[in-house]
Amino acid sequence: MARRRLGFWRRFVVVLVKPVLTGWTKRTWTGMEHIPATGGAIIVANHLSHADPVVVGHYLYDAGRWPSFLAKASVFRAPVVGYIISRCQQIAVERGTVDAARSLDSLVTAVKDGSSVIIYPEGTTTKEPDLWPMKGKTGAARLALTTGAPVIPIVMDGPQAMFDPRTHKVGLRPRIPVRVNAGPPVDLTRWAGAAPTRPTLDAMTEEIMLRLRDMLAEMRGVTDPPPLWSPPRKSNGAAPVVPNGEPV
């Protein structure tokens, strides 16, 4: 990324946010050689904390790429904030509406235009007690199948000390250790050209999530990580779900 081509608003965000993160965190960045220097890329990451986006955004910026996150379309309509994020190449998504299909079109366009799009396949911060990855949703797999862009796995540990979603405690001390590591693209070639059926998307998603889990286990020095887990569904008349994802 040519720093001189950032433009006013992206440069403004960098000047505003990066000094705060530099003082707040003690960073260990590894695996940056796996981040493509140019071209569209799908960045998939584990989701520990609401602080994850600023950490992975900082990592990608230092790796030479501008991070493009997904944000609810309503945020883009907010005064001032909406204007700034729209100028910073962030991506509006519709959730829970008939316009949801347009969100995939926006993502496909962003990737084909050369953006590095960050997706948290779990869809929310993990509910695992030790913050291991859960089973993922199929959006990243569908985007990969549609665009053919590389899926780059990123794992992080430490943002939970900046904000712990389990206790809602904010860590305000300086130099909180955070670690981020990127790995080689997830090998999804066996599904190249396949129809986006539910079994195909589920299998691709499991491949992505297992890579994230194993990379996090290596980062933590754990040799026997737990299986991927699905959180119980909210009560809506459906059968309750146990940790292995099967109905009771």
Side-chain angles (χ1 to χ4, degrees):
M1 176 178 56
R3 302 292 194 230
R4 64 182 180 275
R5 296 178 182 173
L6 283 177
F8 174 80
W9 286 109
R10 286 192 288 174
R11 192 178 299 279
F12 171 78
V13 170
V14 170
V15 170
L16 190 69
V17 175
K18 188 173 180 179
V20 175
L21 293 175
T22 300
W24 194 6
T25 62
K26 180 181 179 182
R27 298 156 307 285
T28 301
W29 296 158
T30 56
M32 284 183 172
E33 67 274 12
H34 299 301
I35 304 296
T38 59
I42 302 165
I43 310 296
V44 291
N46 64 317
H47 204 358
L48 304 163
S49 162
H50 295 88
D52 294 348
V54 292
V55 171
V56 73
H58 191 179
Y59 175 90
L60 281 177
Y61 179 81
D62 283 356
R65 296 300 303 263
W66 183 258
S68 293
F69 290 95
L70 316 184
K72 292 181 181 180
S74 58
V75 177
F76 285 77
R77 295 188 285 271
V80 183
V81 172
Y83 180 85
I84 292 174
I85 65 173
S86 67
R87 295 299 183 273
C88 292
Q89 294 187 345
Q90 305 311 297
I91 303 165
V93 294
E94 299 282 356
R95 296 179 181 176
T97 73
V98 293
D99 294 325
R102 297 179 186 174
S103 300
L104 179 62
D105 293 339
S106 297
L107 290 170
V108 169
T109 299
V111 171
K112 289 186 174 180
D113 285 347
S115 294
S116 50
V117 175
I118 301 162
I119 295 178
Y120 297 101
E122 295 160 276
T124 184
T125 54
T126 178
K127 308 307 178 193
E128 280 275 39
D130 294 324
L131 302 180
W132 289 99
M134 305 185 296
K135 286 187 176 181
K137 302 182 185 299
T138 59
R142 188 181 295 273
L143 184 60
L145 204 58
T146 303
T147 64
V151 176
I152 309 298
I154 285 182
V155 292
M156 64 194 88
D157 207 15
Q160 67 271 27
M162 300 167 68
F163 178 83
D164 193 325
R166 300 163 296 186
T167 62
H168 301 286
K169 181 179 179 181
V170 178
L172 296 178
R173 65 184 177 88
R175 305 281 289 168
I176 293 174
V178 294
R179 295 179 290 173
V180 181
N181 179 52
V186 181
D187 185 4
L188 301 174
T189 53
R190 76 193 81 170
W191 295 287
T197 62
R198 186 65 193 224
T200 294
L201 295 173
D202 284 346
M204 293 173 70
T205 301
E206 183 174 31
E207 188 77 11
I208 291 168
M209 296 310 302
L210 287 173
R211 172 71 79 82
L212 292 175
R213 183 203 65 179
D214 292 346
M215 287 174 60
L216 183 60
E218 183 177 359
M219 176 179 281
R220 292 178 171 179
V222 174
T223 57
D224 187 22
L228 298 175
W229 173 79
S230 293
R233 297 172 185 167
K234 293 181 179 179
S235 177
N236 57 3
V241 177
V242 295
N244 65 4
E246 297 294 331
V248 174

